[in-house]
Amino acid sequence: MDKKNPVFEAPAAPSLGVLYESSEWSDFKFAMELCARDVPVRMIDMERPDAVEAALACTMLTSRVPASAVARGHARSHAHMLELIEVAEAAGIPMVNTGSAFRYEISKLRGVRTLGSAGLCVPKVYACAPADKIDVHALSYPCIIKPDCGGRSARTAVLRDDAEARAFLVAAPQDTTFIVEEFLVARAGYVTRIEIVGGACAHIQKRSIAACGLSSYHVGSTYEAYDDTCPREVRDVAERAAALLGFELGSFDVIETERAPYIIDTNAMTNVSADCEELLGFDLMAEHAAYVAARWFEHVGKLR
Ligand SMILES: Nc1ncnc2c1ncn2[C@@H]1O[C@H](COP(=O)(O)OP(=O)(O)O)[C@@H](O)[C@H]1O
Ligand SMILES: [Mg+2]
């Protein structure tokens, strides 16, 4: 600093950086709900070249960057997130969820390994590699193939034999890592979808399995409330997983087999579309915002 002519910069006003990637309805709905709770929000598009710098000017951060960014050609958002996680932690800027949760968002294999090592039930993994490196002889059928960094059930299929596996692999993009898992049979014909808020089960739903063998909003699955009747064991598994992966917010897809509840998908970022409030019967982005707002006021209170 020039001591004769010091330039005093006003300290930047405290702000909560909402890290986003794809201008989804849910990102803006979440931000509006935060504003309604008097949280000073700064939207940061993680595709911006200066995204990391912009995020570091914030007091606290919350990530809405999903695994599916890569499928939209937004790999840069992931690279920026990984860079930011390192420096934000060193700078003492808290993130909801934590950076380690983001690493699970972008690799299903990582989640399977962590949960499996802790004794939770997870599917057997037959392979995790780019399509041209997957040896069909290492697979057992039926199995499921999906991008390791995926989402929205894109490029996901049930494979019933060698011929189907070969056809899928030949047509698959070569720049994508796929994970191949044993196909788990749901004992009652639905996938259990659990929304986590504040590390606890906030909403549980039965999501129907479509004729293609998949269960997803994107294949037209239907939803049914399951909060009251979901077994305690299933809730416990989800809350243990949330603690292990550091998910304050997020969701799990669970397949309740004849043997036990298996966690098949770990999402550190839950996306909902505009019709979801009606479809699901609750306002998830408002609940996320209420949770993050409480974390914000706790953090800025500590700073005073
Ligand atoms: N191991 C599995 N056994 C049976 N079905 C699975 C398995 N893994 C995924 N699926 C089916 O595929 C769908 C999409 O897979 P998922 O891991 O949830 O990926 P996404 O990130 O696309 O949501 C699941 O909702 C489920 O219906
Ligand atoms: Mg899923």
Side-chain angles (χ1 to χ4, degrees), residues 23-30 272-275 277 283 285:
S23 302
E24 298 275 329
W25 172 84
S26 57
D27 298 335
F28 294 100
K29 161 79 175 163
F30 174 62
V272 288
S273 54
D275 61 349
E277 201 177 323
D283 186 345
M285 288 305 101

Side-chain angles (χ1 to χ4, degrees), residues 239-288:
E239 291 183 359
R240 263 195 79 199
L244 284 162
L245 307 183
F247 287 11
E248 290 171 75
L249 299 171
S251 59
F252 296 111
D253 291 333
V254 177
I255 293 189
E256 296 178 50
T257 72
E258 290 294 350
R259 279 195 338 108
Y262 282 70
I263 297 193
I264 55 147
D265 190 21
T266 59
N267 306 300
M269 201 293 249
T270 292
N271 222 338
V272 288
S273 54
D275 61 349
C276 271
E277 201 177 323
E278 200 181 324
L279 181 77
L280 303 175
F282 53 87
D283 186 345
L284 192 63
M285 288 305 101
E287 291 182 36
H288 281 209

Side-chain angles (χ1 to χ4, degrees), residues 108 146 151-153 191 193 207 215-216 251-253 264-267:
K108 292 184 192 290
K146 51 193 183 181
R152 307 182 179 194
S153 55
V191 167
R193 170 68 167 203
R207 199 177 58 205
S215 166
S216 163
S251 59
F252 296 111
D253 291 333
I264 55 147
D265 190 21
T266 59
N267 306 300

Side-chain angles (χ1 to χ4, degrees), residues 21 47 67-78 155 175:
E21 163 270 331
E47 283 296 292
S68 60
V70 171
R72 286 183 289 278
H74 289 173
R76 184 152 67 162
S77 288
H78 284 189
R155 293 182 176 138
D175 59 352

